[in-house]
Amino acid sequence: MPPDRPSQPASTSSGGDGAPPRKPPRSVYDTRRSKRRRPRWLRIALWTSGSLVAVVLIAALVVGWWVHGLVDKVGQISIDVKNTQSVLHNLPTTDQPTVALVIGSDHRSGDGKGAPSRSDTLMLVRIDPRTKYISLLSLPRDLHVDIPGYGIDKINAAYTDGGYKLATQTVENATQVNVNYLITVDFSGFEQLVGAFGGVYVPVDQYYHHVNVAGADQYSQIDIAPGYQKLNGLNGLAYSRYRHTDSDFYRNARQQVFLKAFEQRASSQLHGIGFDQLSTFKHVAEAIANSVQVTGKNGVPNLSTMITYATTAYSIRGRVISAKLDAQTAGDATNSYVVATPEAMRQAVFAFMHPDSVVTPKNALPGKNTGGKKPPKAFKPKIDPASVAMTVVNGNGTDGSAGKAGTALMTWGYPATVSTTPAPSFSFTQNAIYYRAKDRAAAQDVAEILGSSQTHPITPAYAAFAASGLVVVIGKDFHGTLAKNPPSQTPAGGLPPDMVRDATTYHDPFLQAEGPANFPVLYPTVRQTASVLQTGVGTPVRYYNIRDAGGGNNSAYAYWWYNGTPGAYWGIEETRFTGAPILANPDQQRKLDGRQYMFYFNGAHIHMVAFIWHGTAYWVQNTLRDDMSNEDMIAVARSLKPVR
């Protein structure tokens, strides 16, 4: 069971649910009219060619001088960061995909001044101007890897042993990803950066609470209430670093959730740099200059390059994908660490490097899209996949491609076996399916599912791979995704197998929240059998205020513990904050049950389902690691009904 939590919050201010409303802007000019007015055309000309130009020129001079100073400041990198330049990789142009390694480090509480710093965060960030995706890959700090010159150890030891240079080399060796830029952030800088935006709205999945007590474990104190709320720099840092009741996997997920929330906050505030954004831009740039170090192979990027990447990141806003490394905890209570198989690392890196190739749940959504186009008829194999034996063979020379294809075909029900022996040639451009006479129809099914495939009667060379069934050779056109998505596991008109209809269990807890709440409360009328509704702050359904949404109790949040997994909590948010940054840029929309649903994807997973009804936003958010199935997410969202 999760750790005990107090029934009432220690402080309602620690969560930082909002900020004071902004003051109305001053008038741009004095509205008092002169007794002697100039002709209208002359006034317009003078304003356009005189005042406006003067303001722009003065602003340009001031900002130019100020930015030049900041660039000089960013260019003052440490010797340790400068030494890393020799292991970084150049990019010919800035329109190519760029990979940066972000390292966050600091001394732990209680460490002496002479104690070495530790790499608290290791995250790869990839920006692709062509596909318009940002992808993230976090590496658990306890991941066992080979550290050059030191042997097998936890990956965060690389920074302690050899600074940023050895940490970068270790990450490159473990992932086989070339790093173009190193970005270092210290914790004080993190707080300053969050503060520069006036806080960041984060969907806090559970109640985070810890107070240091004499004789017990001593670590960062935290008191953050659950629900969608604005975290300041201190709380944002505590949330991102927390891992004491779950694991490094969920802490990595928290860091990625916060980074996405930060991107949403930045996009909502810097919506085109105008005079009203100059103050925010100034504070952000100064926070970066004071606490962030950036370098590439040839040194600190120039102002033009920085602006290019900043513009690209802004244009991509909303298309952020988190690649998940499937790893396990090993060791014992005194020496635990994390291990990942080579295949697990290859799959995570593939998703990171090819986010556009990850199969999204788009075609599995019910109903029609908002464009009014009827979704294509689902493909159905002529031959039952469970009856088709197949062996999958690497015919393109790319490590892991046969395993990726075999795993994807298994989602259709094919009992695929991946061959450890590659094809005699790596020259296959397209996939090739070799079949025996009785399996010709099955081969055509597989060709349709894989896409870019040809079928051939089997030859002796390929018959050697399997005594029976198909031999599927994966060509260079395969990039990790199937041409046809597998059918939904939800029966037509029914519920997923782990869901039951239940109109009573959750009714009363949500009904209790409707009295104090200043909006129509909805409750779920289905129950996920592996989940337990949690009591955290106040009642099982926490009602609270988000200042940007107006006065009173304009928001509510409830969360469930999923399948007894430490750190796995999913929740339902209801709020008058219909302009919440998290609602921007849905991946898909569908009109179902008279509601317009918005779907937000994280790769192959539905991370959030939302809709707006009677001036209130409602959404179901998945666990930090998207443990809830896509079918379950849709079923919960569609089940929400008024408590009265």
Side-chain angles (χ1 to χ4, degrees):
M1 292 296 290
D4 292 334
R5 297 177 171 88
S7 59
Q8 297 291 340
S11 171
T12 57
S13 63
S14 62
D17 290 336
R22 291 184 298 176
K23 296 179 179 179
R26 292 185 178 181
S27 175
V28 177
Y29 57 90
D30 193 343
T31 57
R32 291 174 297 179
R33 298 182 178 181
S34 171
K35 293 181 180 179
R36 187 177 178 184
R37 301 186 65 197
R38 297 185 178 94
R40 184 172 181 273
W41 67 267
L42 182 57
R43 285 185 285 116
I44 294 175
L46 286 173
W47 169 250
T48 304
S49 61
S51 302
L52 184 59
V53 171
V55 169
V56 170
L57 286 175
I58 292 170
L61 288 171
V62 172
V63 172
W65 170 81
W66 165 65
V67 168
H68 183 270
L70 292 182
V71 171
D72 286 344
K73 203 166 188 178
V74 172
Q76 297 171 4
I77 59 177
S78 67
I79 296 297
D80 190 10
V81 171
K82 189 172 184 178
N83 288 340
T84 310
Q85 294 171 357
S86 62
V87 298
L88 297 175
H89 298 263
N90 262 333
L91 277 175
T93 61
T94 55
D95 64 349
Q96 292 184 319
T98 305
V99 176
L101 173 60
V102 179
I103 300 180
S105 62
D106 200 7
H107 293 279
R108 285 182 180 173
S109 176
D111 287 348
K113 288 185 178 180
S117 294
R118 296 171 174 86
S119 57
D120 200 78
T121 301
L122 289 169
M123 183 187 297
L124 289 169
V125 180
R126 182 178 184 270
I127 299 179
D128 192 339
R130 296 174 298 187
T131 62
K132 303 298 183 184
Y133 274 104
I134 296 175
S135 49
L136 313 174
L137 176 59
S138 293
L139 299 175
R141 66 179 190 173
D142 292 342
L143 180 67
H144 253 201
V145 297
D146 184 14
I147 300 177
Y150 291 85
I152 303 297
D153 202 346
K154 296 177 180 179
I155 195 169
N156 72 326
Y159 176 72
T160 304
D161 293 334
Y164 293 119
K165 180 177 181 179
L166 184 58
T168 303
Q169 289 175 305
T170 302
V171 170
E172 288 193 337
N173 288 351
T175 62
Q176 297 300 300
V177 172
N178 290 337
V179 175
N180 307 115
Y181 289 99
L182 170 69
I183 302 174
T184 71
V185 187
D186 62 43
F187 292 158
S188 62
F190 179 97
E191 293 183 30
Q192 291 177 29
L193 198 53
V194 173
F197 280 102
V200 173
Y201 277 105
V202 178
V204 181
D205 59 311
Q206 57 162 307
Y207 182 33
Y208 292 92
H209 183 265
H210 172 74
V211 176
N212 286 330
V213 178
D217 287 343
Q218 303 289 302
Y219 53 87
S220 297
Q221 299 192 131
I222 187 171
D223 187 1
I224 301 177
Y228 190 67
Q229 55 180 310
K230 189 185 288 183
L231 301 186
N232 59 25
L234 183 62
N235 280 338
L237 180 60
Y239 168 82
S240 300
R241 297 188 67 199
Y242 188 85
R243 72 163 185 165
H244 299 284
T245 57
D246 40 60
S247 65
D248 237 3
F249 306 128
Y250 283 93
R251 180 168 71 164
N252 287 345
R254 271 185 286 275
Q255 292 172 352
Q256 293 181 350
V257 165
F258 192 91
L259 185 58
K260 290 180 183 179
F262 185 88
E263 182 264 343
Q264 290 165 347
R265 178 69 169 170
S267 295
S268 68
Q269 289 209 213
L270 301 179
H271 47 86
I273 301 300
F275 290 118
D276 57 331
Q277 280 86 46
L278 282 179
S279 177
T280 298
F281 181 66
K282 177 178 182 293
H283 292 320
V284 170
E286 287 176 344
I288 292 174
N290 289 331
S291 55
V292 177
Q293 297 184 79
V294 183
T295 191
K297 179 76 174 178
N298 298 320
V300 178
N302 58 37
L303 180 59
S304 174
T305 301
M306 288 183 179
I307 291 174
T308 298
Y309 285 132
T311 304
T312 301
Y314 178 77
S315 69
I316 295 175
R317 63 192 184 280
R319 303 188 72 182
V320 182
I321 286 183
S322 301
K324 184 169 69 174
L325 175 63
D326 289 325
Q328 296 79 39
T329 301
D332 52 38
T334 58
N335 182 29
S336 64
Y337 51 91
V338 173
V339 293
T341 65
E343 180 61 24
M345 181 63 78
R346 279 195 294 268
Q347 291 188 7
V349 170
F350 183 90
F352 172 74
M353 297 294 287
H354 304 279
D356 55 314
S357 297
V358 176
V359 177
T360 70
K362 175 182 176 181
N363 293 331
L365 298 180
K368 298 179 181 180
N369 60 32
T370 53
K373 296 181 180 179
K374 187 176 181 180
K377 187 177 180 180
F379 174 77
K380 183 178 181 181
K382 295 182 176 67
I383 308 300
D384 181 10
S387 67
V388 180
M390 70 166 59
T391 301
V392 185
V393 181
N394 189 329
N396 59 31
T398 301
D399 288 346
S401 62
K404 189 81 174 179
T407 300
L409 288 167
M410 287 179 189
T411 64
W412 277 88
Y414 288 102
T417 299
V418 179
S419 172
T420 56
T421 303
S425 169
F426 285 148
S427 61
F428 284 81
T429 301
Q430 294 183 306
N431 307 308
I433 297 97
Y434 292 92
Y435 61 88
R436 293 167 171 86
K438 68 181 182 64
D439 295 324
R440 182 172 183 174
Q444 292 173 340
D445 287 340
V446 175
E448 285 278 342
I449 293 170
L450 276 173
S452 186
S453 301
Q454 294 182 347
T455 61
H456 308 279
I458 200 162
T459 63
Y462 291 97
F465 283 94
S468 62
L470 305 176
V471 176
V472 180
V473 182
I474 304 303
K476 295 178 181 178
D477 282 351
F478 179 75
H479 298 295
T481 61
L482 301 175
K484 305 290 184 183
N485 287 313
S488 171
Q489 299 301 309
T490 303
L495 290 173
D498 58 349
M499 283 273 180
V500 296
R501 298 194 186 281
D502 186 343
T504 60
T505 299
Y506 304 129
H507 179 269
D508 287 350
F510 279 80
L511 180 63
Q512 292 173 21
E514 175 153 87
N518 189 26
F519 56 89
V521 172
L522 306 186
Y523 78 105
T525 55
V526 298
R527 178 165 51 84
Q528 208 278 340
T529 55
S531 299
V532 178
L533 180 64
Q534 298 296 286
T535 58
V537 178
T539 63
V541 181
R542 179 200 176 213
Y543 49 86
Y544 63 105
N545 171 262
I546 297 177
R547 291 191 182 181
D548 285 342
N553 293 315
N554 53 37
S555 304
Y557 181 75
Y559 65 102
W560 284 256
W561 188 27
Y562 177 77
N563 204 28
T565 304
Y569 297 93
W570 63 274
I572 296 176
E573 178 76 30
E574 307 184 0
T575 178
R576 287 286 192 185
F577 194 12
T578 55
I582 198 172
L583 295 174
N585 305 310
D587 293 291
Q588 286 290 308
Q589 297 191 48
R590 294 285 191 273
K591 190 167 186 178
L592 307 166
D593 319 315
R595 297 172 180 163
Q596 189 75 18
Y597 288 90
M598 298 175 286
F599 296 88
Y600 303 80
F601 302 155
N602 182 27
H605 303 282
I606 296 176
H607 184 70
M608 192 173 82
V609 185
F611 62 91
I612 296 176
W613 181 71
H614 287 277
T616 304
Y618 304 84
W619 66 75
V620 181
Q621 65 188 47
N622 211 328
T623 69
L624 291 169
R625 285 174 58 84
D626 295 321
D627 300 290
M628 285 271 283
S629 72
N630 294 337
E631 292 79 12
D632 286 356
M633 291 288 293
I634 295 171
V636 173
R638 297 183 70 175
S639 80
L640 293 175
K641 299 292 187 291
V643 294
R644 297 183 189 277

